[in-house]
Structures are given as C-alpha cells and as structure tokens.
C-alpha cells in the first residue's frame, strides 16, 4: 500500500489530548503521513517528513480542516420498505410508538437477500459521502431465526461491528407469548446469529422488553461471547440504564429520559451514553441535555440510529448540528462525540482519532474549521474521505485520483 502526505491542514482535530490541556488535540498548520493504511506521522506541516511521497501522493488541504472519520456506533441498516406515511402522521401530531417496528418486519421478511444488500450498500455510500468511515449495524427487523440470521449475515458482509437485536420488539405471532419469544431469542436464534455478531442488544422499554427479560437476553448473549449494549430510556424513564451499567455494557443508547440516579450511575461507569439526536428530531421528543450529562462526567457519543421509523437520517453532520444547537454541546464536543465517543461506544482504540498507528480514516472538510459542521447545517461539507489510507470518496471537484470505491463496504 502506498504512502501519502496530507499537508497544509489549517485545523487538524486529532482527539489526542495535548499537554497544554486541549483534550480535542487541535493542531494548526499541520500534516499527516499515511503509510500502509495506518497513520505514520502527525505534526506541524513545517516538520513533515520530506522523504515521503512523490508529488502525486501529496494532498494540499489548502488550509482547510481535517477530522477523524465519523464512527457511527448505532444503526439499523438492513430492512425493507419505509415508513414515510408514519412520519407524516407524526408531524401532524401522532405519537411515536415502538409498535411501528412490526410493519418494517413484514417488509423486511418479504425482501430478498439481494434487495436488502443493495439497499444496505446504498446507505453505506450515503454515509461515506458524509464522512462516516466506521458503522455499527443491528439486526432486529427479522424476528425469526431464519430472518435474524439473514440480517446479521448481510451486515457482517460490510462491517465487523454487527449487533444481534432479536429482542427489538415481540413479533405479532408471539404477541401473547412474550416469554416464549425470549426463550427463542436466547436459544435457537442466538445460536444462529452469534457466529456473525460481535454485540448483543435489547430494546428495554415499555412496549418492548422488561428489565428482567432484557437481563436474560443480555446474559445469554454474553455467555456466547457477545458484548452487551442496550436501547433504553427512549420513550420514558426505566431501569435499562441501571441494568446496562450493572452488566458493564459498552453503551446505553437513546437516554432521552434519564433520572438523576441514571446520570450518577453512568458517570461512575465505563458505559458510554450514545445520544441519537435524529430520533428526537424525527419523533418530536425532547432533546436530552447533553451539557448536563457531560458536566456530570458522563462519556457521550453521537450516532445517527439510521432506521425507517424513529430516525431516517444517515448524516453525522446533521446530528452534530442538532447536538450543538439543541443539546448544549460545543462544536468540538460534538465532533469528539461523533468520532472518539463512537469509538469508545464500540470499544475500539484504532478509529476515532488521528494518531500514529491508528487506522488512516480521515475527512477533509470544505471548511476552515470543524465549527462549520454545526454552523452550516445541511450543507455538504465533506471534500474528501480516506478509509484505511485509501481515498474512497471525493466531492465531484476532487474526484480525480480516488479509487472511487464509493462504498464503506
Ligand atoms: O433505535 N428503539 C428501538 N428501535 C429503533 C426504532 C426502530 C423503528 O421505529 O423501526 C430505534 O429508535
Ligand atoms: Fe436503535
């Protein structure tokens, strides 16, 4: 693999804390050397190793900003159909309820592998063009042994961060037999899905699974070598956060309705709180107060939660803009949460930062500073993206010389 140098970077966000106290590790007039898919050197452009690359492999950032590729640690990308009419009704006043998931289950079961795969790859293209270089993908729209196996298998074709979410909701055919469904999830379904998965997840919420049922699901997954993460406190307060912290989950996701005790428990734990601003946006729920959470010592990530029901955006910049505008985060905190925070939520130390040895996953912005991600909402600000050191996306004006892979896959 070749070597390349990105130089003349006006603002480089490394996420490696500096001795002077900037925990975002912001460098100015910087350069980054990429070698063999990894970052080989980071520092001042003046001091960049000159032995490096031939002229073709020198990228002049023109004084613009470079950040780590986004780490989107929560998505549901394998599904059929959409729920545009449900969204329209919600905007006219109808409430969001977990039950809508079942209509996507029917559409997903009816779709072929190739249809699901084509859709999935389309979403990955969208994400890459918006700067996402790592994505976690959950099952949860199959809810039978064969369909859940299909969804984790298709997800595993495109990412190592696959989550088995057989306990998303109770499917209609088990409506009055919830415990039997939990037996299935923790038995044959888990056996079929564990080989394709790294994570086990459950929707611990009124209308989905109780805290006792959630514990069974998570513990069964852990016994098969999967790592726990939990959907909780999305529709109202509950005991999901307490359970997640007790089981050492990597992340609890949503946290729209947290109690003081939840916040204290999270602050004292290694469990990341993954905020999903697109969900509050698309379901008209109140935005969580990220300022209060960060000030209390909670580690916060931001993810898109791309799914056809509660949040059909794949744009991390959009979620960053909401987190800044409506959740009280600074732009630097929001970019950290969307990169390093996501990496923590996935227990990864090779992504979400720009440091020697890390994966060379980088985004060159069409902007002088990361602040523009919130300051210019809705504007496509991604100029160029590298994944594992390969130029995989470039805005049309820059497209020459990229591999034009056009996909995260
Ligand atoms: O993360 N909370 C549960 N699951 C998804 C929503 C799924 C849907 O509405 O289809 C979520 O928000
Ligand atoms: Fe989700």
């Amino acid at each position: 693999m070749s070597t390349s140098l990105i130089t003349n970077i006006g603002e480089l966000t490394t996420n490696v804390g500096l001795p002077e106290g900037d925990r975002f590790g912001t460098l100015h007039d910087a350069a980054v050397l990429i070698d063999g898919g990894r970052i080989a050197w980071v520092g001042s452009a003046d001091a960049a190793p000159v032995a490096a690359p031939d002229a073709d492999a020198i990228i002049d950032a023109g004084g613009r900003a470079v950040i780590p590729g986004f780490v989107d640690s929560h998505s549901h990308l394998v599904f059929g159909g959409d729920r545009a009419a449900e969204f329209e009704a919600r905007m006219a006043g109808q409430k969001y309820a977990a039950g809508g998931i079942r209509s996507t289950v029917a559409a997903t079961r009816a779709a072929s592998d190739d249809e699901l795969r084509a859709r999935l790859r389309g979403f990955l293209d969208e994400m890459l063009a918006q700067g996402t270089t790592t994505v976690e993908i959950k099952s949860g729209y199959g809810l039978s042994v064969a369909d859940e196996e299909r969804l984790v298998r298709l997800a595993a074709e495109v990412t190592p961060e696959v989550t088995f979410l057989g306990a998303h909701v109770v499917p209609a055919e088990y409506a009055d037999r919830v415990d039997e469904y939990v037996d299935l999830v923790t038995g044959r379904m888990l056996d079929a899905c564990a080989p394709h998965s790294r994570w086990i997840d459950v929707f611990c919420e009124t209308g989905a699974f109780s805290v006792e049922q959630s514990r069974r699901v998570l513990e069964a997954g852990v016994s098969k070598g999967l790592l726990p993460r939990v959907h909780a406190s999305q529709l109202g307060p509950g005991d999901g956060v307490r359970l997640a912290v007790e089981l050492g989950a990597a992340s609890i996701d949503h946290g729209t309705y947290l109690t003081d005790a939840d916040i204290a428990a999270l602050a004292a734990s290694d469990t990341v709180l993954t905020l999903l601003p697109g969900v509050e946006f698309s379901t008209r729920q109140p935005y969580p107060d990220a300022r209060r959470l960060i000030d209390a010592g909670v580690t916060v990530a931001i993810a898109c939660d791309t799914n056809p029901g509660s949040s059909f955006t794949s744009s991390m910049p959009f979620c960053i803009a909401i987190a800044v505008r409506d959740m009280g985060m600074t732009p630097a905190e929001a970019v950290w949460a969307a990169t390093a925070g996501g990496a923590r939520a996935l227990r990864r130390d090779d992504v979400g930062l720009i440091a020697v040895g890390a994966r060379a996953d980088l985004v060159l912005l069409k902007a002088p500073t990361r602040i523009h991600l919130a300051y210019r909402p809705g504007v496509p600000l991604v100029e160029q993206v590298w994944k594992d050191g390969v130029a995989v996306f470039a805005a049309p004006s820059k497209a020459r010389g990229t591999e034009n892979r056009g996909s995260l896959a």
Side-chain angles (χ1 to χ4, degrees):
M1 197 176 280
S2 63
T3 303
S4 46
L5 182 73
I6 308 175
T7 189
N8 195 16
I9 300 170
E11 180 194 88
L12 178 68
T13 301
T14 67
N15 287 339
V16 179
L18 298 175
E20 314 85 81
D22 170 26
R23 73 184 181 92
F24 309 110
T26 315
L27 305 178
H28 296 282
D29 305 318
V32 177
L33 182 69
I34 298 170
D35 188 17
R38 297 274 171 167
I39 291 168
W41 184 90
V42 182
S44 162
D46 290 346
V50 275
D54 55 39
D56 272 3
I58 297 180
I59 298 109
D60 183 347
R64 284 165 295 183
V66 170
I67 60 172
F70 294 123
V71 179
D72 189 342
S73 59
H74 184 142
S75 80
H76 308 246
L77 299 183
V78 201
F79 62 86
D82 79 22
R83 284 156 45 202
E86 181 189 306
F87 173 80
E88 186 183 41
R90 204 155 57 234
M91 293 304 107
Q94 207 161 92
K95 235 176 117 109
Y96 174 81
I101 294 170
R102 284 183 184 169
S103 68
T104 298
V105 170
T108 304
R109 288 177 178 175
S112 69
D113 280 14
D114 280 345
E115 285 164 347
L116 294 175
R117 196 178 271 127
R119 196 89 186 280
L120 169 61
R121 289 187 183 256
F123 292 133
L124 294 174
D125 289 351
E126 261 177 41
M127 289 179 154
L128 200 61
Q130 296 174 94
T132 297
T133 49
T134 302
V135 66
E136 178 265 16
I137 303 176
K138 300 172 197 301
S139 67
Y141 291 118
L143 308 189
S144 69
V145 174
D147 283 300
E148 283 295 304
E149 192 275 338
R150 207 153 80 89
L151 302 196
V152 288
R153 178 166 42 78
L154 293 172
E157 291 178 0
V158 300
T159 181
E161 303 299 343
V162 176
T163 301
F164 168 47
L165 179 60
H168 196 184
V169 285
V170 178
E173 62 273 21
Y174 279 87
D176 301 319
R177 301 178 289 144
V178 181
D179 285 320
E180 265 180 61
Y181 184 65
V182 176
D183 291 342
L184 180 69
V185 170
T186 57
R188 285 194 298 122
M189 200 185 279
L190 176 62
D191 290 342
C193 293
H196 305 289
S197 308
R198 177 166 187 236
W199 302 96
I200 177 81
D201 196 349
V202 59
F203 188 14
C204 180
E205 193 90 36
T206 305
F209 296 90
S210 70
V211 75
E212 292 75 23
Q213 291 159 344
S214 299
R215 176 189 292 279
R216 281 187 60 202
V217 169
L218 296 171
E219 287 180 343
V222 169
S223 77
K224 291 277 179 194
L226 305 185
L227 303 170
R229 49 200 316 108
V230 183
H231 279 70
S233 301
Q234 173 185 358
L235 306 175
D239 290 325
V241 173
R242 186 178 49 74
L243 178 70
V245 169
E246 184 198 320
L247 297 181
S251 176
I252 101 99
D253 300 47
H254 288 283
T256 312
Y257 295 94
L258 295 178
T259 64
D260 290 349
D262 290 337
I263 295 172
L266 283 168
S269 77
D270 284 334
T271 301
V272 172
L273 171 61
T274 302
L275 295 173
L276 307 168
V279 174
E280 283 83 27
F281 178 88
S282 300
T283 60
R284 284 201 199 279
Q285 298 283 307
Y287 289 110
D289 184 353
R291 177 79 274 124
R292 177 169 170 236
L293 295 164
I294 293 171
D295 290 346
V298 176
T299 301
V300 169
I302 292 174
C304 287
D305 193 7
T306 312
N307 77 79
S310 65
S311 175
F312 203 6
T313 180
S314 55
S315 171
M316 291 293 268
F318 174 68
C319 294
I320 287 171
I322 299 175
V324 171
R325 166 65 175 74
D326 290 308
M327 295 178 161
M329 294 174 84
T330 67
E333 285 171 339
V335 171
W336 188 94
T339 53
R344 300 240 180 134
L346 294 174
R347 298 262 199 261
R348 294 274 298 265
D349 57 13
D350 59 335
V351 294
L353 77 174
I354 297 177
V356 172
R359 284 180 191 274
D361 293 354
L362 304 112
V363 179
L364 170 62
L365 297 176
K366 254 181 256 177
T369 163
R370 62 195 171 211
I371 299 168
H372 280 223
L373 288 167
Y375 174 48
R376 306 200 67 214
V379 178
L381 292 181
V382 172
E383 177 84 33
Q384 216 165 338
V385 180
W386 292 263
K387 181 168 167 58
D388 293 323
V390 177
V392 286
F393 171 81
S397 60
K398 278 269 180 185
R400 241 161 48 91
T402 64
E403 193 184 69
N404 278 334
R405 193 197 297 178
S407 170
L408 241 175

